[in-house]
Amino acid sequence: KDPIKGFPGVKSALEARKWSEIQVVLIGGNSSWAKSQLPLDLDVLDAGYLSDRLRLAAFYDASDIFLYASDGENLPCAVLEAMSAECCVVATPVDGVSELIETGFSGLLAAKVSGEALAASLADALTLGFGQRRAIGRAARARVEADFSEQTMVESYLNLYEQMAVIKS
């Protein structure tokens, strides 16, 4: 229900067109509320809140597209998790997300933060076909492994701390 998490954009995107070829899976503590806000003719599965990481991973693995519409983020774990599961991520171009996704290669970024732009990017992802979406998903996983692994992040922080220590002394 927190608007900054992007549900208004998702709702707008899903209301923008007739999406007969997709099933929307909602996951989270407010998923039943979110389902009640979406068009009745949309195929929606309410999975509820998932605390079991393996069950959540199974949803990522089963998904072709991960739709992410936050209005502002830093480096969202949900996008990293979806990319790691080789999902084709379709997202709003906000800080943090735009650092993760190389549009057209490791995901698709909407032209701007709006439901209409998100709907256009979702439609683009659907026209790619399964094979092309899987190729984007594989590229996304490779990007996470190369640039955002735990080891890479630890090394980056250590380098930053060393630079700061040199500057301070």
Side-chain angles (χ1 to χ4, degrees), residues 67-85:
L67 190 62
Y68 194 81
S70 180
D71 291 347
E73 282 295 337
N74 44 30
L75 197 68
C77 288
V79 172
L80 284 169
E81 291 168 351
M83 291 173 73
S84 294

Side-chain angles (χ1 to χ4, degrees), residues 7-81:
F7 183 74
V10 168
K11 181 179 183 222
S12 177
L14 295 175
E15 289 174 338
R17 303 173 188 221
K18 187 97 166 136
W19 301 101
S20 58
E21 70 275 24
I22 67 171
Q23 179 184 45
V24 175
V25 178
L26 299 170
I27 298 173
N30 292 311
S31 58
S32 58
W33 169 83
K35 181 177 180 179
S36 74
Q37 303 299 304
L38 295 176
L40 293 175
D41 61 343
L42 191 62
D43 183 7
V44 180
L45 171 66
D46 174 8
Y49 179 77
L50 299 178
S51 60
D52 180 351
R53 302 295 295 168
L54 291 176
R55 188 158 178 238
L56 181 59
F59 276 101
Y60 283 125
D61 287 340
S63 298
D64 294 327
I65 296 171
F66 180 77
L67 190 62
Y68 194 81
S70 180
D71 291 347
E73 282 295 337
N74 44 30
L75 197 68
C77 288
V79 172
L80 284 169
E81 291 168 351

